[in-house]
Amino acid sequence: MEDSRLKKIEELRRRGINPYPYRFEISDFIGNVRKRFEREVPEGLRVRVRGKAKRVSRTEEGFMVRLSDEENVEILVFTKEEGLKPGEVYTFEGVLSRVEGKLSLVDAKLSEGEVESIKEIKSRFDSDPQNKEVSLAGRLVSLRSMGKAIFGHIQDLTGRIQIYVKKDVVGEEEFRLFNEIFDLGDIIGVKGKLFRTQTGELTVEVQSFRLLAKCLHPLPEKWHGLKDVEIRYRQRYLDLIANPDSRRTFLLRSRLISELRRFLDKKGFVEVETPILQPVASGANAKPFVTYHNYLEMNLYLRIAPELYLKRLIVGGFPRVYELGRNFRNEGVDRTHNPEFTMVEFYAAYWDYRDLMSFTEELLTYLLEKVVGKLKISYEGKELDFTPPFRRVRYFDLLKEKTGKDKEFFLRDLEGLKALAKELEIPNYEKLTHAKLLDKVFERVAEEDLVQPTFVIDFPKLLSPLAKTHREDTDLVERFELIVATYEIANAYTELNDPTDQKERFLQQLKEKEMGDEEAMEIDEDFIRALEYGMPPTAGEGIGIDRLVMLLTDTDTIRDVILFPHMRPQ
RNA sequence: GGGCUGGUAGCUCAGCCGGCAGAGCAGCGGACUCUUAAUCCGCAGGUCGCGGGUUCGAAUCCCGCCCAGCCCA
């Protein structure tokens, strides 16, 4: 911790100022204030401007130029043009956008010809705040002292705004106080009038200010942000303070979840909460975390899926239910796996898996339109097109296309399948059960190049102990997975509601377990009893939220979409 | 579990063929009433991840460990 900052706290207390006061009345969040005076720029609007380069700075990919007209009105220009010099006059053409709220020209190229005035463009999109009184609070993230006036920026989750503290306005004593007590990183509240500076930036002329919380540590670097991934995950608060991309990702995640709820609610689904501590961890193929209940003197398991409980609710007469929440799987951590992850599972009585396919298309297009505003997104350099209908391909058709072998081969020729697995260099292939072997071969040959949203349908029965037998082929079940950019985003089926069949499938799982598949599913006797009371025809689906957020934010690491990913203690 | 890469100031990074521990930002002092990666003058800042070894001398070479990332299992 910084000694000088601790001393300032002592100094404040001596002056009778509480460095950690109780409340501060804000008139609005910073982003909302900005929105009132900043019109949205239509997408793809190209403009050409001329001005003097006041500063040229290098960015990750190119340069940022502060371009200023004769009246000192400024616009930011992002360009890849080399060799630009401060003080020179340039003409740029580019796409008008807002970057951190500021009007900017992006993808700009040097150009010639008729130009629009910077001032005129800005006045079209940035309106005069007319000295509106505001009361704002946020973290002090920059400070530029000019002697008898100080500029700085304060930031909250919604945005950033410039503050201007003038000796004339606040008075000599308060001005000195501001200089003496504030450090970068402090949380402060300001009251004052909005105006625009000569360069056109929306600014609060501060009339009074107040320290709301002292920051005892220096902040990460203002320009490069916080890059060290270890610190970003261990001290996410610092990541959120320093990196706007990170704030954007988690805001998008929140919006997605809220829109998902809105959509399901609108469609008549009822949100429910089922046990996270379960006496039997079933409903998926995975190893559970074990915990111990002292009072009951028994082991309990953190759920690996809520499926069997949600179907009990269908039996109980809830026709449409969903649960959005955390599942836990006791396995390794890597780019696409975190031991706890978020899924939504929803079940609709009287539907089958075909109903769910069109429902999924509707759901995803709704979410994309609400959250990113378009159906074509870019992921790892590829364009993903979510315009329905999505491609549908049958499981064994896909395998046949990739390997030339048919369903009979994969289901009845175990030796042949082993030989194929060997050829594909699938590790430990000799130890795998038939079901696992098939699963691995499919992953290896089929999933790898499923980039555009694709429903893989009609899975083999031996991989799907909870799905209903296919109405046209008893080797298969009525199941689909939605695969996008090689990730499994959704998994769904017509639910098995015949208790006798279900019992047999569980017994088959028991055999798989005995043959060494540690992830084979556990029998849940009460679930079978529930089915015996009669579950209507039902279709159910699970969607992995973390991976969906990864797609929408063009992120290749699950840790970047989970606020506090699991790390080994330091 | 295996392989590779990394860990140096609060942050971003250089230094690594052994020889005084470096820069920018942040910080501290000073100048400056439209600055915005402000500018200008000056100053301070280190368990070089941890432990051991080699050496006259180790951030640098060797061994072990910890943490992280990537790849593989």
Side-chain angles (χ1 to χ4, degrees), chain A residues 228-420:
Chain A
D228 185 324
V229 287
E230 191 172 344
I231 303 178
R232 286 185 48 226
Y233 301 149
R234 287 191 198 278
Q235 294 176 264
R236 182 67 86 183
Y237 43 89
L238 275 184
D239 180 39
L240 291 168
I241 291 167
N243 297 329
D245 279 350
S246 187
R247 292 195 290 272
R248 256 196 298 279
T249 295
F250 291 108
L251 271 177
L252 181 143
R253 183 178 177 125
S254 292
R255 279 209 308 278
L256 179 93
I257 284 170
S258 125
E259 288 299 340
L260 175 64
R261 281 206 165 91
R262 196 191 311 270
F263 183 86
L264 290 170
D265 292 344
K266 218 162 47 186
K267 295 288 184 179
F269 286 80
V270 174
E271 182 168 11
V272 295
E273 293 169 281
T274 66
I276 288 173
L277 293 175
Q278 301 180 346
V280 180
S282 191
N285 301 102
K287 279 184 261 179
F289 285 93
V290 190
T291 186
Y292 184 75
H293 192 295
N294 292 340
Y295 180 76
L296 293 178
E297 297 182 325
M298 66 180 289
N299 279 339
L300 287 172
Y301 302 89
L302 299 189
R303 72 170 170 209
I304 54 177
E307 171 153 1
L308 302 188
Y309 285 93
L310 292 172
K311 285 197 264 197
R312 283 172 170 92
L313 294 175
I314 300 285
V315 171
F318 284 65
R320 287 181 199 174
V321 293
Y322 74 96
E323 181 163 12
L324 176 62
R326 220 67 66 80
N327 292 331
F328 307 85
R329 297 187 182 175
N330 205 340
E331 52 200 32
V333 178
D334 65 27
R335 270 193 20 242
T336 53
H337 295 89
N338 194 60
E340 54 182 298
F341 61 99
T342 302
M343 290 242 298
V344 62
E345 285 200 16
F346 48 93
Y347 291 79
Y350 318 119
W351 291 11
D352 66 11
Y353 78 137
R354 298 197 164 266
D355 296 310
L356 275 184
M357 276 188 263
S358 42
F359 186 75
T360 302
E361 287 169 343
E362 196 187 338
L363 169 63
L364 286 180
T365 51
Y366 173 86
L367 289 179
L368 259 77
E369 259 158 18
K370 290 287 181 186
V371 172
V372 294
K374 53 192 178 187
L375 294 182
K376 290 180 186 175
I377 61 170
S378 156
Y379 186 75
E380 297 195 325
K382 284 167 271 189
E383 183 180 77
L384 303 177
D385 185 354
F386 283 84
T387 311
F390 304 161
R391 180 187 172 205
R392 298 182 188 193
V393 57
R394 283 150 66 195
Y395 186 93
F396 283 109
D397 287 352
L398 198 56
L399 273 181
K400 176 136 201 192
E401 182 192 311
K402 298 290 174 188
T403 65
K405 310 272 202 246
D406 63 6
K407 188 184 88 178
E408 287 304 307
F409 168 83
F410 286 104
L411 292 185
R412 323 255 188 253
D413 183 357
L414 183 55
E415 289 314 307
L417 184 57
K418 278 188 180 163
L420 178 62

Side-chain angles (χ1 to χ4, degrees), chain A residues 144-308:
Chain A
R144 296 172 293 281
S145 169
M146 304 285 303
K148 297 191 177 65
I150 304 166
F151 286 93
H153 280 89
I154 60 171
Q155 161 183 300
D156 69 13
L157 180 66
T158 63
R160 191 178 266 218
I161 197 165
Q162 182 164 257
I163 60 171
Y164 182 38
V165 186
K166 235 161 95 172
K167 197 171 188 174
D168 297 358
V169 176
V170 298
E172 189 143 344
E173 205 165 307
E174 284 287 288
F175 190 78
R176 187 161 357 103
L177 187 71
F178 190 100
N179 269 317
E180 279 169 12
I181 64 172
F182 284 152
D183 290 298
L184 284 186
D186 291 352
I187 312 281
I188 72 170
V190 297
K191 288 182 186 171
K193 292 178 180 169
L194 287 174
F195 74 107
R196 284 191 185 277
T197 61
Q198 274 176 26
T199 60
E201 175 156 3
L202 190 65
T203 303
V204 185
E205 187 184 84
V206 175
Q207 282 154 339
S208 66
F209 55 83
R210 185 155 188 211
L211 177 68
L212 301 179
K214 194 76 192 145
C215 174
L216 296 177
H217 295 277
L219 289 185
E221 220 253 0
K222 62 181 170 185
W223 188 245
H224 297 96
L226 179 66
K227 289 205 170 147
D228 185 324
V229 287
E230 191 172 344
I231 303 178
R232 286 185 48 226
Y233 301 149
R234 287 191 198 278
Q235 294 176 264
R236 182 67 86 183
Y237 43 89
L238 275 184
D239 180 39
L240 291 168
I241 291 167
N243 297 329
D245 279 350
S246 187
R247 292 195 290 272
R248 256 196 298 279
T249 295
F250 291 108
L251 271 177
L252 181 143
R253 183 178 177 125
S254 292
R255 279 209 308 278
L256 179 93
I257 284 170
S258 125
E259 288 299 340
L260 175 64
R261 281 206 165 91
R262 196 191 311 270
F263 183 86
L264 290 170
D265 292 344
K266 218 162 47 186
K267 295 288 184 179
F269 286 80
V270 174
E271 182 168 11
V272 295
E273 293 169 281
T274 66
I276 288 173
L277 293 175
Q278 301 180 346
V280 180
S282 191
N285 301 102
K287 279 184 261 179
F289 285 93
V290 190
T291 186
Y292 184 75
H293 192 295
N294 292 340
Y295 180 76
L296 293 178
E297 297 182 325
M298 66 180 289
N299 279 339
L300 287 172
Y301 302 89
L302 299 189
R303 72 170 170 209
I304 54 177
E307 171 153 1
L308 302 188

Side-chain angles (χ1 to χ4, degrees), chain A residues 468-506:
Chain A
K468 194 160 180 160
T469 304
H470 201 285
R471 64 196 82 179
E472 286 160 6
D473 184 340
T474 55
D475 287 334
L476 307 179
V477 290
E478 299 197 350
R479 168 179 174 189
F480 69 80
E481 276 188 4
L482 175 64
I483 309 224
V484 186
T486 76
Y487 295 140
E488 297 163 24
I489 295 297
N491 180 25
Y493 27 85
T494 310
E495 301 296 341
L496 176 54
N497 60 345
D498 173 344
T500 312
D501 192 357
Q502 182 64 76
K503 181 138 201 182
E504 280 166 20
R505 304 276 198 97
F506 274 140

